[in-house]
Amino acid sequence: MDSPTTNNHNHIHTHHLNGASTISQPSKKPKLLSSSFITPAEIHEEFSHHDPSVARINNGSFGCCPASVIAAQHRSQLHYLRQPDNFYFNELKKGILQSRTIIKDLVNAKHVDEISIVDNATTAAAIVLQHTAWSFHEGTFQKGDVVLMLHYAYGAVKKSMEAYVTRAGGHVIEVPLPFPVASNEEIVREFRKALERGKSEGKRIRLAVIDHVTSMPCVVIPVKELVQICREEGVEKVFIDAAHSIGCVDVDMEEIGADFYTSNLHKWFFCPPSIAFLYTRKTPKGGSELHHPVVSHEYGNGLAVESAWIGTRDYSAQLVVPAALEFVNRFQGGIEGIKKRNHDAVVEMGEMLAQSWGTHLGSPPDMCGSMIMVGLPTSLGIACDDDALGLRVHLREQFGVEVPIYYRPPRDGEVGCVTGYARISHQVYNKVDDYHKFRDAVNQLVNNGFTCALLSG
Amino acid sequence: MPQDDDEDPRNGAVEANDHAHQSPLKKPRLTRPISEPDILQEFSHHQQGFARINNGSFGSCPRSVLSAQNTWHLRFLQQPDEFFFNSLRKGILESRAAVKALINADDVDDVSLVDNATTAAAIVLQQVGRQFADGSFRKNDAVIMFHCAFPAVKKSIGAYIGPAGGSVVEVRLPFPVRSNEEIIAEFKKGLERGKINGGRVRFAMIDHITSMPSVVLPVRELIRVCREEGVDQVFVDGAHSIGSVPVDVKEIDADFYVSNLYKWFFAPPAVAFLHCKNSKGLVDLHHPVVSQEYGKGLALESSWVGNRDYTPQLVVPSILEFVNRFEGGIKGIMKRNHDGVVKMGTMLAESWGTMLGSPPEMCASMIMVGLPSRLCVTSDDDAMSLRTHLRVYHRIEVPTYYQALRNEDRDPKDKDGFITGYVRISRQIYNTDEDYHRLKNAINQILEDGKICSMLPVE
């Protein structure tokens, strides 16, 4: 997965951000002396605002933001409040461009024009799908043309498909995915089958929406391979919903080769809520005419410029990317080091839990990033989505453990199988104790004969 | 602050009956009203030694509201899942209920909170566009708006309605303006033009207070005219209105009414309310950012558009607390701002030998003041140069406006020539008379130095 070297940039892209001359903020390589790396005590301090009574093993949902980046955000906010006109005329555009430039380098995009900053992946999905709807309305796409998505696509994206694609006359096909999953081949197989279904009615497949890391259940999808298959099979455009990926898995636009790609920086890249990037690949024909749905006076100046001004708002979360990068570079190996250590730790903790409970992991280690699904003991009796939510609330309120629970319906013929999985995350602030607390909580529930049926009483 | 408090005036706001909608507005605390030093402290984060006479563009937010916002933000950071599941929805509903009482709305379901008026425009125009696209509105039907509508909103109309097939009628705002009648007459002419292709005027976009040049429009009469002409939907862009003019949505009776809370109602950037008359009947009104809440009504859709910072939407109760520390509450603030800006506008016009852009009763907390013709404002660039020069060299922030001559006998003049430039001065509670005297002196100084706009240094 590592592909460090040459590309079209005039600087060598390595996994450590070099101090690109266009970036004035420190994006230096992490120092070579170990004594200058961030210490555990400093990490603890950076996250001292987290509720200490909670084993916070759900970084995946809402992410986290270290104190130094929060402080940078406050400074930016106060700066704006102090003299907003001056900020608007002289500082805002520059700041957003700086953030976009850093992101471009982080994700190996060719041009900064290809990087727009939006609120979150949900907004990015609306932007892409609104354009798809428009293509149906104006006749570029025919009624019945296909848009593909994964069955495990995020709930908001599914609704967006309904609102924009189905409503405009598009035919949405969902790719069923196995879970638990054992290999990439299982996913590729289902994907190919869905493509065949899509083409079988003689319609064109206009767009494939593919998660990079599915939310629930959480699995890393082999996007590079799927994009290649899409190209081979004549899928017109591919949109990768990678809400989790930056800071969690490798994100390389040239490698992956998608037309549109979005990821949240407030999940795994230490930015405050909220900021995401939407990458739109430049083609020889020019960019796709995507527009931000909130139209301002910048309309028509390109998505990146449109998104940089959607009326008066607090743009500070979009302006602190330099501070987030500075934070990340205090760690050994920078973001690469963080990703690797998170991955190794979450796998280790997942295996520890599965062993303690006598269950299994939802995917092999190489199909996970900084999150992994761990089967819950069947005696807990998770029999529906409400049970999963109820158990989650119970764990939060009675045990001080924050972890999302997934209900996995049994397939035909399956008996006594695991129906509940916990999605555990590991981020730099997590400790082994967090997972022990979770392990012990579940074991206690099992020993006490707890079942989810008790919750609805 | 989101704490329980027996004396909490928010309790009054949330429980206010419809007929007593004014109670959260008119209930200043029984203790002494806020003092001058307190007000200075509340805005001590503003750049000191700077005459900030442009509250209209970006608004202002007192420290106590910023502090309340910070408390919410910290709660989210501490345990975001718990916040999301247990606090967020409740908090937004409380804010919406406070707004409902403030604007005399019938139903809290009709009140949505969005980022700003620009977002509200996109929401409303998207559904207008759909009605053209699906044939409910015909290709020869029209939409009507004022020529000086906010640029973002004009672009939004172009983006959502143009491609869908409707035509756009622009009504020129008479300016300088002398009376409501002038505006209503122009609007009526516009409505006639809208029917020229044999169609109807389906949608009217009316500013409550125009941005540039800034005038309070007679919205109630204009809407009455629209109803008489059978206009299907009226959208009032009241971006500036809440906190500068009274807003009673029942009385105004628009189909859609938006106002920014961060301009004149002390909210942090950025939050606005969008009121939709009988929202339950509007099946096709959606937030363009679709989430799991899709289909549950605009208010719920807007309350979750993905993971974001919702704290500006959560502090409305705290704002009411702030506003009620003033004598007369928000009404008292509005009156004092109005009287103050008229007084200062008149002072400037007298000193410069110019005039006001509108009579005092057609302005709220902002007023347009003619600039001396000797400054030679001959283009938008000139106006911008002057603004920048004032900011950099005189530490004054005031927006400027250029209006070309219209070759009518009404083109305004001073003793030296035609007046083509104006400043839009704002007055908010943190302003002092000194701010406006500085502006008076700065302009007079520029004139004494014999400079014109195109000669002014801007760096």
Side-chain angles (χ1 to χ4, degrees):
Chain A
M1 284 200 308
D2 298 311
S3 55
T5 52
T6 55
N7 51 39
N8 292 342
H9 300 229
N10 56 12
H11 62 269
I12 293 172
H13 175 76
T14 67
H15 287 294
H16 304 297
L17 244 359
N18 32 7
S21 56
T22 49
I23 299 169
S24 55
Q25 286 291 328
S27 54
K28 328 181 259 293
K29 286 186 185 146
K31 297 192 171 70
L32 296 175
L33 302 170
S34 61
S35 59
S36 50
F37 291 134
I38 191 170
T39 65
E42 284 168 342
I43 296 174
H44 184 80
E45 189 57 37
E46 285 282 2
F47 295 97
S48 56
H49 52 278
H50 287 191
D51 186 335
S53 68
V54 175
R56 184 167 164 150
I57 41 187
N58 185 23
N59 196 74
S61 283
F62 297 99
C64 64
C65 189
S68 47
V69 177
I70 294 172
Q73 187 186 21
H74 277 161
R75 283 194 298 274
S76 178
Q77 286 167 328
L78 276 171
H79 197 65
Y80 167 84
L81 293 168
R82 192 169 172 269
Q83 220 296 45
D85 301 75
N86 180 63
F87 192 90
Y88 171 76
F89 283 110
N90 299 325
E91 317 211 358
L92 178 61
K93 275 191 181 165
K94 256 183 359 203
I96 300 253
L97 181 59
Q98 187 176 46
S99 288
R100 285 168 55 212
T101 306
I102 292 175
I103 294 170
K104 159 191 163 288
D105 287 339
L106 276 172
V107 306
N108 194 22
K110 279 213 187 85
H111 307 273
V112 76
D113 290 349
E114 293 175 322
I115 303 290
S116 305
I117 293 182
V118 297
D119 275 353
N120 45 42
T122 302
T123 305
I127 289 172
V128 175
L129 296 177
Q130 188 178 52
H131 179 257
T132 305
W134 183 241
S135 301
F136 278 102
H137 285 314
E138 65 175 8
T140 319
F141 295 173
Q142 277 72 56
K143 298 260 184 290
D145 280 353
V146 171
V147 175
L148 211 65
M149 71 171 168
L150 305 185
H151 175 65
Y152 294 134
Y154 189 60
V157 176
K158 286 189 153 180
K159 284 287 186 181
S160 212
M161 289 285 243
E162 185 189 311
Y164 286 117
V165 177
T166 309
R167 194 204 158 125
H171 178 49
V172 177
I173 291 182
E174 286 190 14
V175 182
L177 291 184
F179 183 79
V181 65
S183 70
N184 284 338
E185 283 64 51
E186 294 179 17
I187 294 177
V188 170
R189 202 173 22 238
E190 288 296 337
F191 193 77
R192 281 195 187 279
K193 281 204 302 222
L195 281 179
E196 283 314 307
R197 260 198 352 262
K199 286 162 40 167
S200 68
E201 292 148 31
K203 301 283 188 188
R204 297 254 343 238
I205 302 180
R206 297 293 186 175
L207 179 69
V209 180
I210 305 173
D211 298 67
H212 194 153
V213 180
T214 52
S215 179
M216 271 305 209
C218 186
V219 174
V220 176
I221 303 289
V223 285
K224 179 176 167 164
E225 198 174 341
L226 295 184
V227 171
Q228 259 165 12
I229 294 170
C230 283
R231 302 300 183 208
E232 286 161 16
E233 299 292 322
V235 173
E236 202 167 293
K237 295 267 192 230
V238 183
F239 169 38
I240 309 281
D241 174 6
H244 285 274
S245 52
I246 186 157
C248 175
V249 294
D250 289 348
V251 176
D252 185 322
M253 297 298 97
E254 292 300 298
E255 263 280 292
I256 293 169
D259 300 285
F260 312 112
Y261 188 106
T262 185
S263 188
N264 291 322
L265 284 101
H266 55 261
K267 276 195 194 288
W268 295 94
F269 208 78
F270 305 104
C271 287
S274 66
I275 170 177
F277 73 88
L278 172 54
Y279 162 85
T280 51
R281 175 174 293 267
K282 261 191 173 178
T283 66
K285 290 189 287 188
S288 216
E289 264 276 298
L290 295 187
H291 290 285
H292 199 291
V294 177
V295 175
S296 79
H297 66 274
E298 298 285 5
Y299 183 77
N301 291 335
L303 180 65
V305 173
E306 290 184 10
S307 305
W309 184 256
I310 51 174
T312 299
R313 298 192 342 157
D314 180 354
Y315 292 90
S316 63
Q318 302 184 358
L319 298 169
V320 294
V321 178
L325 188 61
E326 200 172 313
F327 174 76
V328 145
N329 283 342
R330 287 164 66 192
F331 288 77
Q332 188 166 16
I335 193 63
E336 297 304 315
I338 291 173
K339 285 193 310 208
K340 181 172 187 348
R341 287 186 295 274
N342 278 341
H343 171 76
D344 292 345
V346 88
V347 169
E348 190 188 328
M349 292 297 102
E351 282 169 350
M352 179 272 291
L353 291 170
Q355 200 170 68
S356 173
W357 299 333
T359 58
H360 55 261
L361 297 177
S363 73
D366 63 350
M367 290 180 76
C368 88
S370 320
M371 299 180 285
I372 199 161
M373 304 295 282
V374 186
L376 289 161
T378 53
S379 70
L380 293 177
I382 298 162
C384 61
D385 289 331
D386 281 348
D387 283 348
L389 188 58
L391 176 59
R392 176 180 184 174
V393 172
H394 190 74
L395 284 164
R396 177 189 305 129
E397 292 178 355
Q398 302 305 325
F399 292 93
V401 175
E402 186 62 56
V403 65
I405 311 287
Y406 170 69
Y407 165 64
R408 185 257 184 204
R411 304 275 158 93
D412 283 340
E414 282 180 345
V415 178
C417 61
V418 169
T419 54
Y421 290 80
R423 183 187 78 188
I424 60 168
S425 295
H426 189 282
Q427 189 39 300
V428 298
Y429 55 79
N430 283 119
K431 307 256 176 19
V432 173
D433 277 347
D434 296 330
Y435 308 88
H436 288 165
K437 196 169 174 190
F438 184 33
R439 173 199 66 193
D440 297 343
V442 169
N443 285 334
Q444 186 177 328
L445 287 173
V446 169
N447 290 339
N448 291 347
F450 171 93
T451 69
C452 286
L454 295 170
L455 289 170
S456 40
Chain B
M1 305 284 280
Q3 308 287 340
D4 284 324
D5 184 349
D6 286 342
E7 252 194 37
D8 196 336
R10 285 178 292 151
N11 295 333
V14 172
E15 292 164 11
N17 300 319
D18 287 354
H19 71 266
H21 72 277
Q22 290 193 356
S23 47
L25 307 178
K26 280 174 65 172
K27 207 181 275 188
R29 288 179 158 253
L30 295 175
T31 52
R32 60 167 178 78
I34 189 170
S35 67
E36 284 299 317
D38 284 345
I39 298 177
L40 282 179
Q41 170 55 24
E42 286 283 359
F43 294 97
S44 55
H45 53 286
H46 286 191
Q47 185 165 5
Q48 299 302 302
F50 208 88
R52 182 165 162 151
I53 39 189
N54 185 23
N55 196 74
S57 284
F58 298 101
S60 53
C61 186
R63 278 190 182 274
S64 42
V65 176
L66 291 172
S67 170
Q69 184 189 19
N70 200 42
T71 303
W72 284 107
H73 197 224
L74 211 53
R75 274 173 64 177
F76 169 85
L77 293 168
Q78 272 167 353
Q79 220 296 42
D81 301 75
E82 200 272 332
F83 184 86
F84 171 73
F85 282 106
N86 298 331
S87 305
L88 179 61
R89 204 157 273 199
K90 238 174 31 187
I92 294 200
L93 183 58
E94 223 173 79
S95 279
R96 286 168 50 215
V99 170
K100 165 188 172 297
L102 205 54
I103 63 177
N104 193 27
D106 269 336
D107 191 342
V108 75
D109 287 346
D110 291 344
V111 178
S112 304
L113 294 178
V114 297
D115 278 352
N116 46 41
T118 303
T119 305
I123 290 171
V124 173
L125 293 171
Q126 190 177 49
Q127 61 91 37
V128 177
R130 282 219 181 97
Q131 298 199 67
F132 276 102
D134 70 15
S136 323
F137 296 169
R138 308 250 171 74
K139 294 274 186 278
N140 58 347
D141 287 337
V143 308
I144 191 171
M145 66 174 173
F146 280 91
H147 177 71
C148 60
F150 194 64
V153 179
K154 288 180 108 171
K155 287 275 189 177
S156 209
I157 287 185
Y160 281 112
I161 294 180
S167 62
V168 180
V169 172
E170 292 193 6
V171 176
R172 185 163 282 279
L173 181 77
F175 186 80
V177 67
R178 286 193 286 246
S179 71
N180 285 337
E181 283 64 43
E182 292 180 349
I183 296 174
I184 295 167
E186 279 303 308
F187 190 74
K188 281 184 170 167
K189 284 196 250 174
L191 284 174
E192 287 308 307
R193 288 206 304 280
K195 303 195 287 200
I196 260 175
N197 294 330
R200 295 172 47 174
V201 177
R202 291 291 192 170
F203 178 81
M205 223 232 27
I206 303 175
D207 298 72
H208 195 151
I209 301 176
T210 54
S211 178
M212 266 308 198
S214 185
V215 176
V216 177
L217 301 189
V219 282
R220 292 163 185 78
E221 286 95 329
L222 291 172
I223 292 176
R224 201 178 34 79
V225 167
C226 285
R227 300 300 183 207
E228 282 165 11
E229 291 292 319
V231 176
D232 287 60
Q233 288 185 347
V234 180
F235 170 40
V236 173
D237 177 1
H240 284 272
S241 56
I242 188 119
S244 66
V245 291
V247 177
D248 182 325
V249 291
K250 276 228 282 282
E251 196 211 350
I252 292 170
D253 198 37
D255 297 284
F256 306 102
Y257 191 105
V258 64
S259 190
N260 289 323
L261 289 144
Y262 67 84
K263 277 193 193 283
W264 295 94
F265 208 73
F266 306 107
V271 56
F273 73 82
L274 172 59
H275 176 263
C276 306
K277 193 162 120 172
N278 299 325
S279 63
K280 289 182 182 61
L282 292 164
V283 286
D284 205 19
L285 190 71
H286 293 288
H287 198 294
V289 177
V290 176
S291 77
Q292 296 91 327
E293 302 294 313
Y294 182 73
K296 296 183 185 172
L298 181 66
L300 283 179
E301 290 185 12
S302 306
S303 70
W304 185 256
V305 289
N307 190 17
R308 295 193 340 158
D309 180 0
Y310 290 93
T311 56
Q313 298 188 6
L314 294 166
V315 296
V316 179
S318 302
I319 297 174
L320 285 172
E321 208 172 299
F322 173 75
V323 145
N324 285 339
R325 287 165 65 191
F326 288 77
E327 178 132 14
I330 191 63
K331 284 186 139 191
I333 291 173
M334 292 196 295
K335 180 169 188 346
R336 287 187 294 274
N337 281 344
H338 171 75
D339 292 345
V341 87
V342 170
K343 182 170 156 214
M344 291 296 101
T346 307
M347 179 276 289
L348 290 170
E350 267 169 24
S351 171
W352 297 337
T354 59
M355 79 304 173
L356 297 177
S358 72
E361 63 272 14
M362 291 179 76
C363 87
S365 320
M366 297 183 289
I367 199 162
M368 303 294 286
V369 186
L371 286 163
S373 61
R374 273 195 294 142
L375 280 178
C376 296
V377 181
T378 63
S379 63
D380 290 332
D381 282 347
D382 279 348
M384 187 52 90
S385 296
L386 178 60
R387 177 176 185 175
T388 308
H389 177 81
L390 287 169
R391 178 188 308 124
V392 176
Y393 284 84
H394 296 273
R395 299 165 66 77
I396 298 170
E397 187 64 54
V398 67
T400 51
Y401 171 65
Y402 161 67
Q403 179 167 289
L405 300 177
R406 291 173 177 178
N407 287 327
E408 296 158 16
D409 59 7
R410 293 194 29 201
D411 281 333
K413 296 169 74 154
D414 61 13
K415 63 176 169 47
D416 299 307
F418 287 104
I419 292 174
T420 50
Y422 298 79
V423 286
R424 182 186 79 188
I425 60 169
S426 293
R427 183 133 195 166
Q428 189 39 299
I429 56 181
Y430 54 79
N431 286 118
T432 63
D433 286 356
E434 166 66 24
D435 296 330
Y436 308 89
H437 286 290
R438 277 190 42 190
L439 175 61
K440 172 194 74 182
N441 294 335
I443 296 293
N444 286 336
Q445 183 67 55
I446 291 171
L447 290 171
E448 261 177 53
D449 294 345
K451 291 216 165 33
I452 62 173
C453 283
S454 51
M455 290 162 56
L456 293 172
V458 293
E459 313 256 313

